[in-house]
Amino acid sequence: MLLITRKTPPAVATRAAREHEVRQLDLEGVFDPAVLLENLTGVNAILCTPADKFDAVLIAQLPASIKVIATYSVGQEHIDLAAAAARGIEICNTPDVLNTATAELALTLMLMAARRAGEGERLLRAGKWPGISPTFHLGHGVAGKVLGIFGMGRIGRELAGMARGLGMAIHYRNRNRLPPELELGAHYHEDDASFLGAIDFLSINAPGGADTMYWLNAGRIGMLKPGAVVVNTGRGSAVDDDALIAALRSGHVLAAGLDVYNNEPNLHPGYLELENAVLLPHIGSATVEARDAMGFLALDGIKRVLRG
Ligand code: DGY
């Protein structure tokens, strides 16, 4: 039996029901491991989401019948992989099929932040639009500017392609330099200081986890040019919120476009007061196309494991 923790798109739910006996939990909000544990009799596969934390304590309590946990995400930080491996439980995730959706959202945030789109819409809806004038609500263009991508994986490269189309130059920082056929002329930096000092826009597309924890801290923000724009569609844990909020308040960072946060969904309240922060609720992969494809990929993984 397949246990699905949260509601899935109709096409995914239909396919799951065709391939498995399904126990659908429809959880909402904060994950309660006790509710999961009460519902695992006869279950051999779990389809979970990044909101469902499978730590070592929970994994130790899973019944021996559980063979596979598939997560409706690329990110796997919410699962203790070592604890799962120790119990012989396989983990599947959903890479690649959300690259375009997530890159599109990074681009959306970059343009919204640069053009002060959120602020403008709030002003208009509040009835405070004084009418058009040459100096009203000026933002900044992106054409001819330098986009710095931190994490030039599949999503970062997809974003680079879109930004080239807007006339931006691409610089990047990555664990390793890419081969020319993937780099496509992007400028690789070997250290953070040269990277951050060279760019006008920073997009964080790196995965979460210990290696990137609080990477964008006060020290690295200080290396950015004054007036740089910061976009994060990777993981909230890559940013030190207090440092970014201070830089947005001082204007050293002109604007930010954020889709991911520490402690989701309870983001740092300091962001909510900032007109120059565009804030979206972790919807990077939230397109009909991507979410169907992610669900299908997760089901493929479950099928592969259960068939041995
Ligand atoms: C992922 O796939 O890791 C996204 O952040 C959630 O859709």
Side-chain angles (χ1 to χ4, degrees):
M1 183 186 304
L2 167 63
L3 178 135
I4 305 182
T5 60
R6 306 204 181 225
K7 201 169 159 70
T8 58
V12 176
T14 303
R15 179 175 149 190
R18 204 166 52 232
E19 294 177 354
H20 302 272
E21 191 185 340
V22 173
R23 184 168 298 152
Q24 177 69 50
L25 287 192
D26 283 350
L27 299 179
E28 278 179 6
V30 178
F31 176 63
D32 180 356
V35 175
L36 179 90
L37 288 168
E38 279 162 15
N39 282 285
L40 290 178
T41 309
V43 170
N44 54 5
I46 298 174
L47 177 51
C48 72
T49 75
D52 312 324
K53 195 168 169 52
F54 282 72
D55 58 17
V57 177
L58 172 56
I59 288 175
Q61 296 176 76
L62 296 177
S65 57
I66 304 295
K67 302 286 176 251
V68 51
I69 300 172
T71 176
Y72 220 108
S73 60
V74 183
Q76 302 174 64
E77 311 82 2
H78 52 294
I79 301 174
D80 189 321
L81 299 178
R87 296 246 7 231
I89 298 172
E90 298 236 20
I91 304 298
C92 307
N93 67 340
T94 61
D96 281 331
V97 293
L98 43 53
N99 297 349
T100 304
T102 309
E104 283 175 356
L105 198 83
L107 196 68
T108 303
L109 283 169
M110 185 169 75
L111 291 167
M112 285 184 76
R115 298 299 295 271
R116 304 169 58 198
E119 190 185 343
E121 206 209 6
R122 282 190 292 278
L123 176 147
L124 183 147
R125 286 179 186 272
K128 292 184 183 161
W129 183 22
I132 190 161
S133 83
T135 55
F136 173 67
H137 207 75
L138 299 184
H140 292 266
V142 301
K145 305 279 172 64
V146 179
L147 169 61
I149 298 180
F150 175 65
M152 194 68 151
R154 293 167 289 219
I155 297 170
R157 296 199 299 273
E158 188 95 23
L159 173 63
M162 294 175 186
R164 282 187 191 100
L166 295 175
M168 301 185 85
I170 311 298
H171 288 219
Y172 74 101
R173 186 89 179 90
N174 204 39
R175 259 190 304 247
N176 301 306
R177 184 167 185 173
L178 299 175
E181 66 275 17
L182 294 182
E183 201 171 60
L184 297 175
H187 184 104
Y188 173 68
H189 289 263
E190 277 181 1
D191 64 81
D192 291 333
S194 84
F195 172 62
L196 293 168
I199 63 180
D200 304 301
F201 290 80
L202 169 66
S203 176
I204 299 176
N205 295 98
D211 290 352
T212 56
M213 187 69 76
Y214 304 135
W215 176 78
L216 191 64
N217 55 17
R220 291 195 178 87
I221 288 173
M223 295 172 186
L224 284 166
K225 292 185 204 169
V229 172
V230 171
V231 170
N232 189 8
T233 54
R235 279 294 180 265
S237 58
V239 172
D240 173 341
D241 292 325
D242 287 324
L244 181 57
I245 288 166
L248 285 163
R249 282 198 185 123
S250 74
H252 179 70
V253 170
L254 180 81
L258 307 176
D259 184 48
V260 289
Y261 308 89
N262 287 296
N263 198 28
E264 291 178 13
N266 303 310
L267 66 157
H268 192 306
Y271 286 121
L272 303 176
E273 296 158 11
L274 292 169
E275 283 293 358
N276 55 348
V278 180
L279 307 173
L280 295 180
H282 201 149
I283 53 170
S285 63
T287 63
V288 172
E289 297 83 357
R291 288 288 162 85
D292 278 355
M294 291 166 76
F296 296 150
L297 199 54
L299 290 174
D300 289 346
I302 290 168
K303 196 189 279 181
R304 201 173 47 243
V305 175
L306 293 184
R307 283 186 178 168

